Amino acid sequence: MNSEHIRNFCIIAHIDHGKSTLADRLLEYTGVLTEREMKEQVLDKMELERERGITIKAQAVRLEYNGYQLNLIDTPGHVDFSYEVSRSLAACEGAILVVDASQGVEAQTLANIYLALEHDLEIIPVINKIDLPSADPDRVKAQLIDVGLEIEDTILTSAKEGTGIKEVLDAVIEQVPAPENTFNKPLRALIFDSFYDPYQGVIAYVRIKDGSIKPGQRVKMMSNNREYEVDELGIFIPDMKKTASLEAGEVGYIIAGVKDVKNCRVGDTITSADNPASEPLPGYQKIKPMVYSGLYPTDNADYGLLKDALEKLQLNDASLTFEAETSEALGFGFRVGFLGLLHMEIIQERLEREYGLELVITAPSVVYRITDQQGDMIEIENPAEFPEQNEIEIIEEPYVKAEIFLPDEYVGQAMELCQENRGEFKDMQYIDENRVKLYYEIPLSEIITDFFDLLKSKTRGYATLDYEFIGYKPSQLVKLDILLSGSPVDALSTIVHQENAGSKGRSLARKLKKLIPRQMFAVPIQAAIGSKIVARVNIKALRKNVLQKCYGGDISRKRKLLEKQKEGKKRMKRVGQVEIPQEAFMAVLQRD
Ligand code: GTP
């Protein structure tokens, strides 16, 4: 198709303003889905995603409308996946900005506007939920003008009732620029998502930026020069449909016998092997995990299953890394790298839900750099590997630049939180009359605790956080060990700042006392820094036996009690003689 008749766009919105509902309406209006076929929120494919209400993997759908080809690209909306968001936006020329008519512009709305402007996208503001009695579209329009958007006719919609949908589609055609016609240039296709299919191998979602591509053609990944032959390509309507070619401006999928998403990375450029482009498309980054945790099966016999499951998940998730590790306390397991805490939770849930595994996960850690007395530098992902304090010359930890968007009334609270987390203030900018952007440099290890949750609760949900890694800085850090019944438990060791190591040790010991169930014998808990004990508490011995209550006979009651006890045992790990529940391994993340 002539690129004049193509429009590539995405929908951006603050959470719950109606992005998915509007997307469904566009699909329905253009006949991609009949009402009967229409399941709720078709674009959010994965079950987990639907439950959590977040979009993890970008999706793409082609709509036909008035002789135009409209490609709707869905974008994930969480900081852990910010690189994927940025690549999805790079595949578009325009963005529909959905704003709730009763809530108005919120922090994420603003963050999205800036992201869209950064990618040079044409923004179409849509004021949604006008059916609500509390809707105030004039106020929202004024807010949008305030933040600097040029607005003439505002589009008012109720995605729920299906009003204003035609106007949105017409605006996409009129306002979103057609892609440049670069059909005659050498092929360049941007991979903005990919997933692994057990039958077909890796399926890459692509935006053809230049040239064209056909089945049978030899192609090359520009990041690693690997060559493949295209088996099949096509479009999403929304299921996959084969086509004879994809051309400059179009969005679709390519299958080329790639066996592993690691060789088909988001952000990479596919070019022709025979007539390669001289430069890849800009912005490609190799994604590196930011936090590492130990994953251990609660039943050691499940080690092989866990290995298989991780290998399968990795086929679909190029950012997931893992290697085998052993813990004295937990036995055989894996050290797994994640993009952030949400990514970690998603992987954990998938392993438990899709593979039926029962796991214990250790508190996430960042990668520390340690230079010893001889001047040799090592990187450490696991606190248990920390050398003896007297062997260490310099310890460095990763820092991030954090950008916090928020209404100015909460600036005080947010600054206090950053300060408490060893943040260094860098800058503060007023974006408009009462919205502020704060810049801090903060150790990554502080961000991966419950920082984001605290920030949200201190700002009544208004603040958004974005961060990027800026490098390593020296820090005064020490290892805090936990001893149960006198023996150190390697999986409970953490790295903390020297200044608050003592108080951290005391509060952690108290928390563990609450979390570790009483056993048949007393269990002393000690916190230690090197050989110095900084805290000691005791878990008293348990006297009663659960079965004592059931005076003999009643078998079914007895069984129920035992089952209940077994339930309660879920996600526990026996360390020596002591049963430790999952929560205890995460206790170091919680504040007092
Ligand atoms: P996330 O996927 O969580 O980011 O949310 P979203 O922006 O995709 O919002 P979603 O489409 O899931 O809508 C959020 C809620 O608002 C749902 O309960 C919708 O039914 C409701 N909603 C969406 N559009 C309208 C509308 O026009 N009017 C009313 N009254 N409710 C709407």
Side-chain angles (χ1 to χ4, degrees), residues 11-25 40-41 44 49-50 52-55 74-75 77 98 100 127-133 157-163:
I11 306 179
I12 52 181
H14 186 79
I15 190 156
D16 275 348
H17 281 196
K19 177 175 126 172
S20 309
T21 315
L22 179 67
D24 288 353
R25 288 294 175 193
E40 233 193 301
Q41 301 192 355
D44 288 348
E49 215 175 299
R50 203 173 289 181
R52 287 168 173 263
I54 46 161
T55 314
D74 200 12
T75 55
V98 179
D100 185 317
I127 301 177
N128 187 36
K129 305 201 189 181
I130 52 159
D131 57 291
L132 291 175
T157 60
S158 164
K160 187 174 165 198
E161 294 178 348
T163 45

Side-chain angles (χ1 to χ4, degrees), residues 370-376 388-395 476:
I370 297 179
T371 309
D372 66 15
Q373 307 275 354
Q374 284 72 46
D376 293 330
E388 296 292 325
Q389 209 69 34
N390 59 11
E391 290 170 16
I392 299 174
E393 183 71 31
I394 305 166
I395 307 174
Q476 298 296 322

